[in-house]
Amino acid sequence: MTKGLLNRIRITNDTVFNFFEDTKGEGAAGISIYNDGQTTLIIDDGTNEEIAPGQYFFVENDIPIINTSFRIRFKKEVGKANNAIMSYIVPIKQAT
């Protein structure tokens, strides 16, 4: 079993993430995003996956993801709140 540090980030605005820099090159495993806001969230990585309010997005991976960058953005809707929570695990290297 891999041990790691759980990271949880509240997202309220369009944001760019870079798992290579954010994890100091270790990568991210067990990525999940929960849209707890009132607007649709878009994972802007070429696929433009849309996550509706109240929905989850999961990435099941055994090997940590190390990428250059991707953006999370919200569809603009007047008077509605943008809120999401992204969680991921940064693996801890263990001595062998």
Side-chain angles (χ1 to χ4, degrees):
M1 177 179 5
T2 303
K3 292 185 179 183
L5 178 64
L6 177 63
N7 290 270
R8 192 162 279 153
I9 301 165
R10 164 86 46 199
I11 306 166
T12 57
N13 294 307
D14 295 357
T15 306
V16 174
F17 290 96
N18 182 323
F19 284 141
F20 184 77
E21 288 180 7
D22 296 345
T23 67
K24 296 181 176 70
E26 297 300 321
I31 301 165
S32 69
I33 300 172
Y34 175 62
N35 184 353
D36 65 341
Q38 300 170 324
T39 58
T40 298
L41 176 149
I42 300 168
I43 301 173
D44 201 354
D45 65 349
T47 61
N48 291 333
E49 183 81 29
E50 292 190 6
I51 304 167
Q55 299 295 309
Y56 283 92
F57 173 83
F58 292 102
V59 177
E60 294 183 38
N61 56 315
D62 294 329
I63 298 172
I65 295 172
I66 301 173
N67 70 332
T68 51
S69 66
F70 67 96
R71 184 168 70 132
I72 291 180
R73 62 185 171 92
F74 294 90
K75 285 190 175 179
K76 307 298 182 223
E77 296 184 43
V78 177
K80 294 192 176 183
N82 299 332
N83 279 307
I85 299 170
M86 181 167 70
S87 302
Y88 60 91
I89 299 167
V90 178
I92 295 173
K93 290 185 180 177
Q94 298 182 23
T96 54

